[in-house]
């Protein structure tokens, strides 16, 4: 590669020197000829296919083109013959692969042979340029047109010259017939008649099979030859006969298809009947799958003949057959299956279908979701270092470098999160990629949390926010965004921020940032857009952000930074115009005299690499080229004059008629555009022109009545005292444009968009001295545009904008005249379409009051061309007259409609008066209902119910205008209740009921109304009620209160005596039960009837709905079920959860369905009955008596299919690496594992297969080892191995130790080393049983006590000392050996130990005795101390504790109890407590603690044990 760069440098240096040097030419040819480098280990200039990256190819081709374009023209005698050109010894002859050889284009070596002896170019005058009608000029024109349409083509010359096949589009057409022996679609190069011209032709096409084979070859590397090849070939061989080449055929455009994302290209001009290009009836779907799954892309391809289908990926290939399976199940379907996805498979996959008439392509993206540590691993196929930056085009070193771009302002991530909260979900990926957010799941979780917090903050100032519209840039260069705010306080302050900094705004058009407010709608405008206006804009209400949007830099129209300047040149010289824009503008266009310029030999258009500087070169300028040139970007433009000096072109005389321009238009169009002899002073709607000195003076003519030059033109005699100004007019009104000159001697003409206006255009011309006016009666939309007034050498422009008020279709207005009649409870939706200029503000009113949208009431919606009023459930109060007003900048329009909602009548107005007249019965009276439901009353129905019965007896009906009724069929001593209903054509309404009436001579108190619950807690329920009215209620003694549980028929008295107050708190309640209460009035004649019961109420504290569940995840999947698990909601988000709701919906459904009856009590649930391979969405909601919480939904849809699980062992805290069993016992060791599918299970003992006496079983994730009768030979290391189909293995090892009880210890020998003590020494047992640590227990008994008592336990040595020996007593010793599996037979002393009693006289002096304190909590006399020991030593940690009662000491290591630890033992001798570790290891290091406790308290002493590694 270093040699390659060296030769590129050498080529660049040679190409920059004098092109006439023959030695330099020979050197370049030898450098390009690979035969020169046969002795090298690798060619200096590799074959383009060997250069892997596209930038390497481009730099290689660019260097070749630059170095060979300067070679001199060869003489005719130095050209090669065809035989030489086709010599088989040519070292550059390539092979395209297996198969027949095809003829190739000319090789570089062949061309080099033609240039070894160039003839020096004679010095002389420059040859004349070809005429505009010559073939060469036509060829250049076609080149420029192609570049303008498709942009500059890549330099792919070297591949074409080395024999790479070329596609069908964009080929060169020659004059020679193709040879009959040619293949299909390859370039052929020949040298004929010893002339230096190249004959390029498409060869004749053969059979269908040959065409398919050649088309397959022609797509190797996607190499194509287009218009850049023609110019490159000409520069290489210096074609003399340019007229032999014909223009290239234009490239076939892409065809439109009904399926988005499908690209179709037609490769032939005409398609025979019955045939067609390929097309995709179904394209692959973008997928996001977890690791380990299989991805399947399916396409449906159509076309005749049947297309061939190929699959590609952007990064990498699909050559691994075990990884990628490409199949065609049948028919039109083609399938690409990717097995066992990994993170490296994330890529864009493309499908290409092609036949001989065209090709079609579509793509889909695959995202592999990684988990765990694999998220951050490095891809194996990703380049570790980008070496392509080392390859550079050395010719760019000589170019003028553009200044480095300013450093980008670092964006605050908080603003990015605010922007994400207000963006659509489809924009999440674009924003995250732009600002470097890669954790998409974390981003979604954080957004959910931020939205909750943001809603809480906004609720302080805002009721609701809706109809958000992000920034859009209009064609007028105005950026606008708007939103609808329902503020709680209309006077709340609104602020506008850009990139975190507050900016000022106004309420009119006089500021750059302005705000317009229409009702609840807020419109923000940004005028005079510049690149620095790009950024994130935020709207705040007080101190809370309510909306964020972003203005992209590429959305800002390009402005003119360095405008065009006047250019002067002489005849036949080149004129150059340059203009610099603020940002790249691909659609910028050049104009001459207001006519677009097309790139040609005459006009050369180029753009700088950064896209900012646009350059126009006018070749060989003539007087006819003099005029106004402009560069337009659509919104802004820059203009400048070209002045050609020198001999006048007498043939050019501008005339109004008869002169035709290049486009076939008459001279009038040209002269209408030639008013541009002035330069722009400002780039706004008002343009003031200045006369250039000397303009038009060379013509020697005059000015005609239309204000355009023709013949001799006099010097300007005036100027504008008042020019045209931009104006706005409403549609249908008169518009007047006027200007004033200082002199009226020169007539003027009016133009619209460059076309002269006449009276036939429906306009009126007026002149009053120097005042000129253009009147447009009843202006319409088509008359909007740019108007210009030209008078002599003066011109003024202005823009007329037509504002159209909103309009509603006449048929809709006719429909609204009829009243809308609906029934109550139905949904009413009134949609009014309209048309008009945006923005349109719609406001609804009902009976003069504004209609406000809300979640429960009316709902208002507005689109770009409609407004809608929706009443979800209409009621009688919604009846009335509605008015909608549509308003925009052009005016307003109103529409009215009448809504009538009909319903059943309400109940008659009460109270229902009931009066008993002895002997005359009961008289009833009432009032008509307040609302009759919109229909006339027909009758009233009167009914009666006797106390103790459940049926109502119809007494009769009265006409609709009668509101009284009499009932004479009553009996004394009985109670009655009456009710009345109103009846209309819609049915009967609700009933008005009376109070219960006792027909008796003595009146008792009436029942009080139902009590009202004022408060309810777990401690008590407070009731209030009102006094009854009517006979017997004047003098009341008090009230009796009763209660009952809901659902029960038994009432229980709350108070025994009547209470005089009408308020009472009931406290004798069971928490959580639901109660009802009623009150009975007590009068002098006794208690009356009980009143109606109150509403049921719980005796508990009020509850809040629970919060959302946490950590919702999928734990298992199968073909028919999905198992979920979650965590309980945070206790701070709501009250206690009483159950959960699990809901599911398929990926193609919008309706959620509950998976179970009632609620789920646990935090796991399995959704069953699913369809295999189908995707589902799932969510879980927590519920309690306070309601339902916020549902938690899984981020992605889950497929009902079992997950592939790698083998792994399931270990828990009970799993141990060592199993100790007793000899002759049965051994059973279960090992749990998890794998899918079931792996192969292999058992080994010490690395070898198991013996036949052992048994292993495997079932449902459990494998067991069974040894029926264990022996000492079964001890060893056992290994379980799990192996799946791909060969992945996992192992688990454990030790089985078979042990027995130890043998009896040896004889006991007693010694007295210290007076008053005796030491027992014994021999260890001959067999310890291999049962772990061996220790001893010593038991003693004396002659005074026959029972054996334990003197010492867990003694790891073979000696024990007993203190406190009393003289005169005999002591017997017994030693028992122990291990983990049992106890040995005891070993007893043969002779007892005794000390003779010595009887001496002594005197006893009674000391002063003090009663001890029997109530003393523990405390340490001596604390533990830190130990530092090497590994393998014995450690003894001791402390002294005192307390009464005697405290119990417990030992801990790192806060874990050591009571059940077999590796340590503890002793407690008269308050001296010790912890002994026989052999310490590194694991024993840690913090130890002794806790002494009794019933009065506890004491703690701590120490640290540090174990170091042994040096041996």
């Amino acid at each position: 590669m270093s040699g390659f760069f060296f030769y590129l440098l050498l080529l660049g240096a040679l190409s920059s020197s004098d092109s006439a040097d023959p030695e330099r030419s020979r050197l370049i040819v030898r450098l390009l000829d690979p035969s020169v480098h046969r002795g090298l280990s690798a060619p200096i200039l590799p074959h383009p296919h060997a250069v892997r990256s596209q930038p390497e190819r481009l730099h290689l081709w660019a260097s070749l083109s630059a170095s060979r374009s300067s070679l001199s023209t060869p003489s005719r005698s130095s050209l090669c013959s065809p035989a030489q050109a086709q010599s088989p010894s040519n070292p550059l002859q390539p092979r395209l692969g297996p198969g027949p050889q095809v003829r190739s284009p000319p090789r570089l070596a062949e061309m080099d042979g033609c240039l070894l002896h160039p003839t020096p170019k004679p010095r002389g005058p420059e040859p004349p340029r070809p005429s505009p009608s010559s073939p060469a000029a036509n060829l250049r024109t076609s080149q420029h047109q192609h570049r303008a349409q498709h942009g500059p083509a890549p330099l792919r010359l070297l591949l074409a010259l080395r024999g790479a096949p070329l596609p069908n589009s964009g080929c060169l057409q020659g004059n020679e017939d193709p040879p009959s022996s040619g293949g299909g679609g390859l370039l052929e190069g020949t040298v004929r008649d010893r002339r230096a011209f190249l004959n390029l032709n498409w060869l004749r096409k053969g059979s269908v099979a040959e065409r398919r084979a050649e088309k397959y070859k022609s797509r190797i590397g996607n190499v194509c030859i287009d218009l850049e090849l023609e110019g490159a070939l000409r520069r290489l061989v210096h074609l003399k006969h340019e007229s032999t080449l014909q223009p290239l055929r234009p490239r076939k455009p892409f065809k439109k298809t009904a399926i988005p994302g499908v690209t179709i290209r037609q490769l032939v001009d005409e398609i025979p009947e019955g045939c067609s290009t390929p097309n995709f009836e179904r394209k692959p779907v973008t997928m996001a799958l977890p690791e380990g799954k299989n991805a399947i892309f399916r396409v449906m391809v159509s076309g005749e003949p049947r297309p061939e289908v190929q699959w590609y990926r952007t990064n990498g290939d699909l050559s691994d057959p075990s990884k990628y399976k490409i199949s065609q199940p049948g028919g039109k379907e083609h399938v690409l299956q990717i097995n066992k996805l990994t993170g490296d498979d994330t890529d864009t996959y493309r499908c290409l279908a092609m036949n001989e008439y065209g090709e079609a392509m579509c793509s889909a993206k695959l995202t592999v979701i990684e988990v765990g540590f694999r998220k951050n691993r490095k891809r194996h196929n990703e380049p570790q270092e980008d070496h392509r930056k080392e390859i550079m085009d050395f010719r760019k070193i000589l170019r003028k470098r553009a200044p480095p771009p300013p450093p980008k302002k670092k964006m605050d991530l908080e603003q990015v999160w605010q922007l994400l909260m207000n963006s659509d979900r489809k924009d999440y990926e674009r924003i995250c990629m732009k600002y470097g957010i890669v954790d998409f799941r974390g981003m979604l979780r954080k957004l959910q949390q931020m939205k909750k917090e943001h809603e809480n903050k906004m609720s302080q100032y805002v009721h609701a926010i809706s109809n958000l519209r992000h920034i859009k840039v209009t064609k007028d260069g105005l950026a606008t965004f708007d939103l609808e705010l329902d503020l709680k306080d209309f006077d709340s302050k609104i602020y506008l921020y850009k990139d975190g900094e507050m900016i000022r705004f106004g309420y009119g058009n006089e500021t750059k940032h302005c705000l317009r407010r229409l009702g609840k709608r807020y419109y923000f405008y940004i005028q005079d857009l510049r690149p620095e206006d790009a950024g994130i804009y935020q709207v705040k209400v007080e101190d809370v952000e309510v909306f964020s949007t972003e203005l992209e830099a590429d959305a800002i129209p390009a402005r003119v930074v360095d405008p065009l300047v006047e250019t002067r040149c002489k005849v036949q010289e080149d004129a150059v115009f340059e203009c610099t824009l603020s940002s790249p503008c691909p659609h910028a266009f050049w104009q001459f005299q207001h006519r677009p310029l097309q790139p040609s030999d005459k006009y050369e258009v180029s753009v700088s690499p950064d896209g900012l500087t646009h350059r126009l070169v006018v070749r060989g300028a003539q007087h006819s080229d003099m005029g106004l040139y402009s560069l337009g970007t659509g919104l802004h433009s820059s203009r400048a004059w070209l002045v050609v000096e020198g001999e006048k072109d007498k043939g050019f005389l501008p005339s109004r008629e008869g002169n035709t321009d290049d486009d076939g238009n008459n001279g009038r169009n040209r002269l209408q555009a030639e008013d541009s002899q002035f330069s722009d002073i400002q780039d706004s709607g008002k343009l003031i022109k200045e006369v250039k000195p000397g303009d038009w003076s060379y013509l020697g003519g005059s000015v005609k009545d239309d204000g355009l030059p023709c013949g001799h033109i006099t010097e300007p005699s005036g100027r504008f005292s008042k020019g045209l100004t931009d104006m706005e007019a409403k549609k249908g009104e008169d518009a007047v444009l006027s200007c004033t000159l200082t002199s009226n001697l020169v007539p003027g003409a009016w133009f619209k968009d460059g076309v002269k206006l006449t009276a036939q255009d429906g306009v009126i011309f007026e002149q009053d001295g120097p005042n000129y006016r253009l009147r447009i009666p009843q202006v319409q939309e088509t008359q909007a545009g740019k108007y210009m007034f030209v008078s002599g050498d003066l011109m003024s422009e202005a823009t007329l904008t037509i504002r159209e008020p909103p309009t509603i279709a006449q048929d809709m207005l006719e429909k609204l005249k009829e009243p809308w009649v609906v029934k109550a409870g139905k949904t009413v939706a009134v949609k009014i379409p309209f048309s008009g200029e945006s923005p349109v503000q719609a406001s609804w009113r009902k009976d003069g009051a504004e209609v406000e949208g809300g979640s429960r009431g009316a709902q208002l919606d507005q689109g770009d061309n409609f407004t809608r009023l929706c009443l979800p459930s209409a009621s009688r109060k919604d009846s009335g007259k509605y008015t909608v007003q549509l308003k925009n900048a052009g005016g307003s329009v109103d529409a009215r409609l009448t809504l009538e909602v009909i319903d059943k009548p309400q109940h008659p107005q009460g109270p229902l008066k009931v009066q008993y007249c002895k002997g005359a019965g009961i008289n009833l009276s009432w009032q008509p209902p307040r609302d009759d439901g919109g229909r006339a009353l027909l009758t009233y129905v009167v009914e009666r119910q006797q106390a103790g019965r459940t049926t109502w007896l119809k007494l009769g009906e009265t006409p609709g205008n009668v509101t009284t009724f009499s009932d004479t069929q009553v009996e004394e001593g009985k109670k009655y209740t009456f009710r009345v209903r109103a009846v209309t054509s819609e049915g009967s309404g609700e009933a008005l009921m009376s109070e219960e009436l006792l027909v008796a001579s003595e009146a008792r108190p009436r029942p009080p109304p139902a009590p009202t619950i004022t408060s309810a807690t777990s401690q008590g329920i407070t009731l209030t009620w009102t006094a009854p009215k009517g006979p017997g209620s004047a003098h009341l003694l008090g009230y009796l209160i009763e209660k009952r549980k809901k659902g029960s028929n038994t009432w229980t008295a709350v108070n025994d005596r009547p209470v005089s107050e009408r308020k009472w708190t009931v406290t004798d309640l069971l928490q959580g039960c639901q109660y009802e209460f009623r009150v009975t009035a007590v009068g002098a004649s006794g208690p009356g009837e009980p009143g109606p019961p109150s509403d049921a109420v719980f005796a508990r504290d009020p509850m809040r709905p629970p919060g959302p569940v946490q950590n919702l995840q999928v734990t298992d999947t199968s073909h028919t079920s999905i198992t979920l698990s979650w965590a309980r909601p945070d206790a701070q988000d709501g009250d206690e959860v009483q159950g959960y709701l699990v809901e599911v919906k398929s990926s193609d459904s919008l309706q959620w369905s509950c998976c179970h009856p009632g609620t789920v009590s646990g935090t796991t649930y399995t959704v069953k009955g699913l369809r295999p391979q189908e995707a589902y969405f799932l969510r879980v909601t927590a519920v309690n008596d306070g309601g339902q919480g916020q549902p938690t939904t899984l981020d992605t849809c889950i497929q009902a299919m079992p997950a592939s699980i790698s083998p792994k062992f399931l270990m828990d805290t009970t799993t141990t690496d060592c199993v100790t069993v007793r000899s002759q016992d049965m051994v059973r060791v279960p090992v749990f594992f998890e794998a899918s599918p079931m792996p192969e299970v292999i058992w080994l003992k010490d690395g070898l297969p198991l013996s036949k006496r052992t048994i292993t079983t495997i079932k449902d994730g459990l494998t067991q080892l069974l040894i029926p009768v264990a022996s000492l030979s079964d001890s060893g290391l056992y290994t379980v191995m799990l192996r799946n189909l791909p060969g992945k293995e996992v192992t688990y090892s454990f030790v089985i130790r078979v042990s027995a009880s130890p043998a009896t210890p040896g004889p006991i020998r007693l010694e007295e080393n210290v007076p008053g003590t005796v030491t027992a020494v014994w021999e260890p047992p001959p067999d310890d049983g291999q049962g772990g640590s061996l220790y001893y227990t010593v038991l003693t008994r004396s002659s005074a006590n026959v029972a054996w008592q334990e003197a010492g336990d867990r003694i790891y040595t073979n000696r024990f000392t007993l203190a406190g020996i009393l003289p005169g007593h005999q002591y017997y010793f017994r030693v028992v050996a122990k291990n983990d599996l049992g106890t040995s037979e005891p070993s007893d002393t043969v002779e007892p130990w005794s000390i003779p009693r010595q009887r001496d006289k002594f005197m006893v002096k009674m000391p002063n005795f003090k009663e001890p304190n029997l109530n003393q909590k523990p405390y340490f006399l001596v604390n533990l101390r830190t130990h530092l020991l090497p590994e393998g030593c014995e450690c003894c940690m001791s402390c002294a504790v005192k307390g009464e009662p005697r405290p119990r000491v417990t030992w801990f290591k790192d806060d874990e109890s050591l009571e059940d630890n077999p590796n340590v033992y503890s002793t407690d001798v008269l308050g001296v407590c010790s912890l002994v570790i026989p052999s310490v290891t590194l694991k024993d290091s840690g913090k130890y603690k002794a806790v002494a406790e009794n019933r009065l308290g506890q004491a703690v002493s701590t120490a640290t044990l540090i174990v170091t590694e042994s040096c041996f």
Side-chain angles (χ1 to χ4, degrees), residues 1324-1345:
D1327 182 15
D1328 60 358
Q1330 299 181 4
S1333 300
L1334 180 67
Y1335 60 95
Y1336 303 90
T1337 299
V1338 179
L1339 300 94
T1340 62
R1341 68 181 181 87
S1342 64
S1343 55
N1345 191 356

Side-chain angles (χ1 to χ4, degrees), residues 591 817 862 1332:
Q591 287 184 328
K817 290 182 180 179
Q862 181 178 351

Side-chain angles (χ1 to χ4, degrees), residues 1364-1413:
I1365 300 298
L1366 300 178
H1369 288 260
Q1370 295 181 343
Y1371 293 88
Y1372 297 87
F1373 289 81
R1374 170 177 288 180
V1375 178
V1376 179
K1378 295 182 180 181
N1379 60 10
D1380 295 340
L1381 296 181
T1383 305
S1384 68
E1385 294 294 329
S1387 175
D1388 296 338
T1389 56
V1390 180
E1391 295 293 334
W1393 177 269
S1394 63
I1395 299 177
R1397 177 181 298 178
Q1398 298 179 359
R1399 299 183 178 273
D1400 296 332
K1401 294 181 179 180
F1402 61 95
M1403 297 180 62
V1404 177
K1405 183 179 179 180
M1406 297 298 295
N1408 294 330
F1409 183 77
K1410 184 179 180 181
E1411 186 70 16
N1413 184 9

Side-chain angles (χ1 to χ4, degrees), residues 880-923:
K881 294 183 178 180
Y882 289 81
T883 303
V884 57
Q885 184 182 57
L886 304 175
K887 184 178 181 181
N888 66 359
S892 62
V893 63
D894 294 342
R896 296 175 176 82
L897 66 95
T898 301
L899 178 63
E900 183 178 345
V901 182
I902 58 175
D903 196 2
K904 295 179 181 179
Q906 295 182 352
H907 60 78
Q909 298 185 64
L912 179 57
K913 298 179 180 180
V914 182
Q915 185 177 5
Y916 172 68
C917 298
K918 192 171 184 179
I922 298 177
N923 297 324

